[in-house]
Amino acid sequence: MIGPRLTIAAAIVTAVVVTAAAVAGILGLDVSLGLIDPRVQASAPVLDLEAPAVIAAGEPATVVVTSLSATGSLPVVVRAGTTTHRFTVEVEAGLARLELDQTLTGQAGVLDLRAGSLATTIEITPGPVVGDFPVLAGPHTVVANGADHAVAVAIPRDRWGNPAASGTEVVYTWTQPGPGTSTGSSRVDRGIAWVELVSGTKSGWTGISAAAESAVGVEARITEVPGAASQLVMEPVVVVGSEVGDAVELRSGPIADRFGNTIPDGVEGRFGVETARGPHIVPGTVQGGRLRAWWVPVPGAITISAAVNGVSSPPLTMTVVEDQQK
């Protein structure tokens, strides 16, 4: 008869341990082999965990924990991304409060909260957009031909550096040398918004601004440059010396693209010179909207033409006469 009695006694002990474990689990206590961890037992059991579901970045948030005990202390764990913060709050009249400040709520995302066996989350949305947010434009240089494209990208942010929420409208204004002022808009997608621009037909710089909510970004600029030279003529050669062997300046007429934009300084070209001694190539550079170079002529008939960007001028023919009085 001893065997059955021992079996019944063991079953009773097991039932008591299981019941204790279930109660401890409900109260948020840890049980190991029927023994409550004394460190956890010192904490007040948790009945409820409350926090705001959604807040804007940087706003304070109050976490309220309801305890079965009127007094005591409670551990609260807050996880922000990959960082875990541990707090201990004191229970008074069955309630404990934890205030979360901007150091924890400044970054948009989700905060995971845990107290005892209960858990909840706080979603942090981006705050209002602040001014002087970045506006980028590229390429930095386009051809003023009415066909080249550029893209302006806005990156609106709140005061904490969080990108504006997806769907936030961004309004762009850009002023071009030719068409004047134009506007366009787009919406933030994954932190950025962009708009496409088409070049005008007049060279100069284009200023681009962007506004989101009540904030204005930093202005961006692109430069619209002349296209290839459309036509080219030679100006008469001016003899600057009184003797053969003195240098003369070779100079083209004004050089412009097909829309009348003057070709900028620094563009390279060449002069083709034919004399009785044969053809010569004289390198030149655009200065003041004209191709220029210096050359020492020889007596006799010469033919000169200018070429820039693959466009050549009609030839200019002249005769250099040697000074007979030297």
Side-chain angles (χ1 to χ4, degrees):
M1 297 299 292
I2 295 177
R5 291 179 181 176
L6 290 176
T7 301
I8 294 172
I12 293 173
V13 171
T14 301
V16 171
V17 171
V18 171
T19 302
V23 172
I26 294 173
L27 298 181
L29 304 177
D30 291 334
V31 176
S32 178
L33 298 178
L35 298 177
I36 299 175
D37 188 332
R39 292 172 299 175
V40 178
Q41 189 177 21
S43 300
V46 177
L47 293 179
D48 192 20
L49 176 62
E50 296 181 356
V54 181
I55 62 171
E59 289 185 355
T62 300
V63 180
V64 179
V65 184
T66 303
S67 173
L68 185 63
S69 301
T71 60
S73 61
L74 283 171
V76 178
V77 178
V78 180
R79 178 174 296 173
T82 59
T83 304
T84 299
H85 305 268
R86 302 181 185 277
F87 302 91
T88 299
V89 293
E90 297 300 321
V91 178
E92 295 182 4
L95 295 177
R97 288 179 171 82
L98 174 63
E99 301 293 338
L100 304 180
D101 61 17
Q102 63 194 36
T103 59
L104 284 173
T105 64
Q107 182 176 354
V110 175
L111 291 180
D112 293 307
L113 312 176
R114 179 172 291 277
S117 62
L118 302 182
T120 189
T121 60
I122 300 176
E123 180 185 357
I124 303 175
T125 61
V129 177
V130 294
D132 293 337
F133 57 82
V135 180
L136 310 175
H140 296 302
T141 302
V142 296
V143 178
N145 57 9
D148 262 16
H149 289 248
V151 175
V153 178
I155 313 174
R157 301 170 176 169
D158 66 12
R159 62 175 297 193
W160 311 104
N162 298 300
S166 292
T168 300
E169 184 180 28
V170 178
V171 178
Y172 303 84
T173 302
W174 60 94
T175 303
Q176 295 173 278
T181 300
S182 304
T183 60
S185 66
S186 62
R187 295 188 179 275
V188 173
D189 181 14
R190 287 167 287 185
I192 64 173
W194 64 92
V195 69
E196 192 173 34
L197 292 71
V198 180
S199 68
T201 56
K202 186 175 181 180
S203 60
W205 62 266
T206 295
I208 307 165
S209 63
E213 297 176 353
S214 59
V216 178
V218 178
E219 184 181 74
R221 288 187 176 187
I222 60 173
T223 303
E224 302 194 30
V225 299
S230 63
Q231 59 182 1
L232 198 59
V233 296
M234 278 294 302
E235 289 193 344
V237 175
V238 179
V239 178
V240 296
S242 59
E243 300 181 359
V244 173
D246 290 336
V248 297
E249 184 184 40
L250 305 180
R251 183 174 61 192
S252 74
I255 310 173
D257 65 11
R258 63 191 180 99
F259 297 105
N261 298 301
T262 301
I263 300 300
D265 290 356
V267 173
E268 295 181 346
R270 61 179 176 81
F271 292 95
V273 182
E274 293 189 12
T275 70
R277 299 179 183 178
H280 303 273
I281 298 297
V282 182
T285 304
V286 174
Q287 301 175 37
R290 301 168 185 264
L291 184 66
R292 299 172 185 265
W294 291 92
W295 177 66
V296 178
V298 295
I302 60 174
T303 300
I304 306 173
S305 63
V308 176
N309 297 142
V311 178
S312 299
S313 70
L316 172 69
T317 300
M318 61 179 293
T319 301
V320 176
V321 179
E322 186 173 3
D323 188 352
Q324 301 296 325
Q325 298 180 356
K326 66 176 182 177

